[in-house]
Amino acid sequence: MYGGGYIFEETKNGKPESEDQGKLKNFEAKIAAGEKIEPSDWMPAEYRKQLIRMIEQHAHSEIIGALPEGTWITRAPGFRRKMALMAKVQDEVGHAQLLYSAAETLGKPREDMINDLITGKSKYSNVFNYPAVTWADTAVIAWLIDAGAIINQVANSKGSYGPYCRALERICIEESFHLKYGHDNVVFLATGTPKQREMVQDALNRWWKPIMHFFGPSDKISVHTETLMRWKVKMASNDDMRQKFLDMYVPKIWELKLTIPDPNLKKNQTSGKWEYTEPDWEEFKRVINGDGPCNKERLAVRRKSEEKGEWVRRALMRQDEQYVTPLS
Ligand code: BYC
C-alpha cells in the first residue's frame, strides 16, 4: 500500500515530494512500539490528512451534538434535571473545544474547520440529524449514544496520535457521567407510569436505527478503516465496535423490559456474535451527506451562532479597539 499514494508529503508550496523512506520506517516503528506521535514529529501526509478529517468530524459532532439535547434545557422536568442537562450540554461543547485544539495541532486553523462545518463541507455524526421529540429522547441519547461514544473513544484513546488520545481520555471521563445520567433518566421512565414507559419505548424505537448507524458503515463497505487501523488511529473496526455495544447494552435494555425494534436481533451462541438486520446504508449516506430530518436546522443554528458571536471573537482577538477599550 505504501508504494501507492501514501509516499508523498505536501511541501509548503503545495507540490508533492517523495517522502523519506527512512522517516516512514521510523514513524511506523514508533507506532508498532506503541509510542505516541506528537505534533512536531514527522508524519506521512496521509496520516495528517486522515487525522484532521476524523478529529474535525468528531469536534463537529460534539458541537452539533449539543443541539438535540440543548433544545430540552428549557423544558426539562424539574430544576435538578435542568441543571444536570445544562452541565452535560456544556460538557459536549467543551469536548468540541478540546478536539478543535487537537485538530489544530495538525495545521488546520479553527476558522477553516468552522467554515467547513457551516458550509456543509465537513461531516458530523449521523445521529444528531434526528430530532429529540420528547424528554425521553434526551434520556436515550444520554444513555445509549454516550455509551456508543465511550466504546469508540476508550478504544481510540489508546491510539497513536498524542493530542487526540489525551483529549479522548479526558472526554471519556466526562462521558461516563453522562452515561450514568442518561441511564438514571431511562430507568426512571421505564419504571414509571405506563405513559412514561410508552414514552421511553417510543424514543428507543426512534433512536435504534441511528444508533446502529453511529458506529459507521459495515466493515465490508467502510472506506478508511484499513488505513486508520494500520496507523493505530482506529483501534477497532466499525463492526467490532457495534458488536461490543450490543454485547454491553442489549442485556441492559432487555433488563428494563424494553423492546428493541429489530426482530432479527439475537446472539449467535456458536460464533458469540450478535446477528441483526443490516442497517439501511443508503439512508445513512443520505443523512451524513446533508439530507436527514434536521441537517438544515442544525447547520442554520450553528451559522446563526457564528454570526452572533463574531463581535466577541473580534473583541477577544483585539482586532477592533472599540470593543476592548472599556475593558483594557
Ligand atoms: N456519522 O470509512 P468509514 C458524542 C462517514 S459525539 C457521520 O467507516 P471512518 C456526543 C466517514 O466520515 C461523538 N459520518 O469512516 C455528542 C466517511 O466519510 P468521509 C462522535 C460517518 O472514519 C453530544 C464515510 O462515512 N464520535 O458522543 O473510518 C451529545 C465512510 O466511513 C459516520 C466520533 O466522531 C457517522 N456515524 O470511521 C451526545 C468518533 N460513520 O469522511 C454524544 C470519531 C462514518 O470519507 N470518529 N461516517 O467523507 C470515528 O471513530 C470514525 O470516524 C467513525 C467512522 C467510526 C465514525
Side-chain angles (χ1 to χ4, degrees):
M1 197 81 182
Y2 289 120
Y6 295 168
I7 58 160
F8 295 105
E9 186 182 28
E10 280 190 357
T11 59
K12 280 199 176 115
N13 64 13
K15 295 234 173 74
E17 69 178 22
S18 186
E19 281 177 2
D20 184 329
Q21 288 298 323
K23 287 182 186 166
L24 188 59
K25 261 185 136 175
N26 277 345
F27 167 83
E28 292 192 319
K30 263 179 120 169
I31 291 185
E35 286 175 43
K36 298 287 183 219
I37 305 296
E38 295 299 338
S40 56
D41 293 341
W42 183 90
M43 61 186 81
E46 182 65 16
Y47 179 81
R48 185 185 298 277
K49 193 171 137 201
Q50 284 284 353
L51 274 169
I52 292 175
R53 179 190 68 81
M54 194 168 128
I55 303 173
E56 180 182 352
Q57 284 181 11
H58 191 167
H60 296 332
S61 305
E62 300 280 355
I63 206 157
I64 295 279
L67 299 177
E69 289 169 280
T71 55
W72 277 92
I73 291 175
T74 53
R75 294 169 287 169
F79 191 59
R80 281 181 56 231
R81 299 245 186 254
K82 192 189 291 284
M83 295 236 294
L85 180 58
M86 271 169 62
K88 179 183 189 301
V89 167
Q90 281 180 349
D91 281 354
E92 306 298 1
V93 177
H95 298 168
Q97 303 300 342
L98 285 172
L99 291 161
Y100 283 128
S101 298
E104 278 177 319
T105 64
L106 292 153
K108 182 162 182 180
R110 188 174 300 218
E111 293 71 26
D112 291 1
M113 292 188 254
I114 301 290
N115 203 41
D116 287 349
L117 169 67
I118 61 183
T119 55
K121 191 173 164 205
S122 280
K123 292 192 171 68
Y124 54 87
S125 189
N126 67 302
V127 280
F128 304 118
N129 289 312
Y130 293 85
V133 180
T134 69
W135 171 251
D137 293 55
T138 70
V140 170
I141 294 171
W143 185 31
L144 296 178
I145 293 182
D146 279 84
I150 290 174
I151 287 172
N152 169 295
Q153 290 162 185
V154 166
N156 291 346
S157 71
K158 313 280 186 303
S160 63
Y161 189 58
Y164 187 41
C165 296
R166 290 189 285 275
L168 290 182
E169 272 174 25
R170 160 98 186 255
I171 290 170
C172 284
I173 294 168
E174 293 184 357
E175 303 272 41
S176 319
F177 267 83
H178 301 171
L179 184 144
K180 284 190 184 14
Y181 154 86
H183 187 235
D184 180 62
N185 277 344
V186 170
V187 170
F188 184 87
L189 294 170
T191 56
T193 63
K195 181 71 194 160
Q196 285 170 324
R197 272 193 70 78
E198 191 188 320
M199 263 174 69
V200 77
Q201 180 63 62
D202 280 353
L204 182 61
N205 295 347
R206 273 191 290 281
W207 283 90
W208 189 252
K209 186 173 50 177
I211 288 171
M212 290 296 278
H213 284 153
F214 177 76
F215 298 90
S218 81
D219 293 352
K220 281 185 245 127
I221 54 171
S222 165
V223 185
H224 306 292
T225 298
E226 194 207 325
T227 311
L228 292 178
M229 285 190 71
R230 196 176 57 233
W231 282 332
K232 294 193 182 168
V233 174
K234 264 168 91 164
M235 300 300 280
S237 76
N238 300 353
D239 283 340
D240 286 348
M241 299 253 189
R242 205 169 358 254
Q243 283 288 335
K244 184 148 196 207
F245 171 80
L246 294 171
D247 243 352
M248 289 177 74
Y249 289 94
V250 170
K252 289 185 171 58
I253 296 169
W254 282 344
E255 218 171 72
L256 292 169
K257 308 255 179 309
L258 294 170
T259 322
I260 294 174
D262 179 356
N264 298 319
L265 182 73
K266 65 171 186 311
K267 191 164 187 173
N268 181 320
Q269 295 306 333
T270 317
S271 66
K273 299 262 185 209
W274 287 88
E275 291 169 1
Y276 48 81
T277 307
E278 190 61 22
D280 178 349
W281 297 116
E282 286 311 309
E283 173 177 338
F284 169 79
K285 274 190 215 150
R286 276 199 308 278
V287 171
I288 67 171
N289 285 308
D291 191 18
C294 297
N295 300 57
K296 286 190 181 64
E297 180 187 326
R298 301 287 184 242
L299 290 189
V301 173
R302 285 309 323 157
R303 264 195 293 275
K304 192 168 162 204
S305 105
E306 197 56 19
E307 281 161 25
K308 281 189 147 186
E310 206 210 328
W311 74 271
V312 180
R313 288 192 301 281
R314 285 219 317 267
L316 286 172
M317 301 300 281
R318 293 178 165 251
Q319 280 171 359
D320 188 338
E321 282 303 317
Q322 67 166 312
Y323 291 114
V324 291
T325 307
L327 302 173
S328 332

